[in-house]
Every structure is written in structure tokens, then in C-alpha cells.
Amino acid sequence: MSKRLIVACGSGVATSTTIAEKIKNKFEEDNINYNVEAVDYKSIMSELPNATIYVYIAKPDSEVIEEAERLGVDVFPGVPFLTGQGLDENYEKIVDATKK
């Protein structure tokens, strides 16, 4: 499976696209070659099997978290990319996950 980070929000358009672009830019600055895509939350269960990292906007329900754990998908909050609070620490955790 190719390495793929997904960012999910309700529509897969506004917030998830903004955060996905921020992550892509930071990855480029850090020379990290990793697929980053925005998706809509309604399709998250079908997207998880093809992902290695999942960045969420609104906290996902327990079924989604359990499926991510079962599949070995690392899960991280995306709000720090909007607010800046805890951004560096959160980003470093994501970077660590890209090395698995």
C-alpha cells in the first residue's frame, strides 16, 4: 500500500482542503514525500483502508477510531493547523508517523 495521509471534514472541500494544503506545504519544506488528500467524512470508512495517517477536523465517532486502530492507521487532530495551538508538537507526531 502506498503511504497516504487523509484529512477529513464534513464536505471534503473547505476545511480539509485547507489543512491538507498546509500539511503538503510543510512536508515539501521538510522534504517528506507523502501523498496527502482531502476527503469527506461520509466516506471515511471506505477511505481508511487505503490510508496510513488520518487527520480529523471534528472528533470522529468511536466506530471510526476503532476501525483506524484495527487497520493500523495513525489518527491526529487537524485543528492545530487552523489555530496554531499545539501545531509544532502535533506536526512532529505526524512526521514520526510518516516514518513507520
Side-chain angles (χ1 to χ4, degrees):
M1 170 175 36
S2 68
K3 297 191 179 266
R4 180 173 175 244
L5 182 151
I6 58 173
V7 182
C9 72
S11 66
V13 178
T15 310
S16 59
T17 300
T18 299
I19 292 173
E21 286 302 315
K22 287 183 178 190
I23 293 172
K24 280 182 195 177
N25 290 337
K26 288 181 83 56
F27 278 3
E28 286 177 14
E29 290 170 11
D30 294 333
N31 294 314
I32 297 170
N33 185 14
Y34 215 89
N35 293 324
V36 179
E37 295 177 40
V39 301
D40 70 284
Y41 187 75
K42 293 180 286 283
S43 65
I44 195 66
M45 293 302 268
S46 63
E47 295 286 352
L48 280 174
N50 299 311
T52 47
I53 300 172
Y54 165 36
V55 176
Y56 63 84
I57 312 308
K59 187 161 171 117
D61 61 37
S62 60
E63 180 185 8
V64 171
I65 295 294
E66 289 169 11
E67 183 66 3
E69 287 176 4
R70 186 184 75 74
L71 294 168
V73 175
D74 292 303
V75 179
F76 301 96
V79 173
F81 290 95
L82 296 174
T83 66
Q85 287 186 293
L87 174 61
D88 292 339
E89 180 182 341
N90 192 53
Y91 178 69
E92 285 307 315
K93 290 178 182 176
I94 292 171
V95 169
D96 288 344
T98 66
K99 298 174 183 174
K100 291 183 177 178

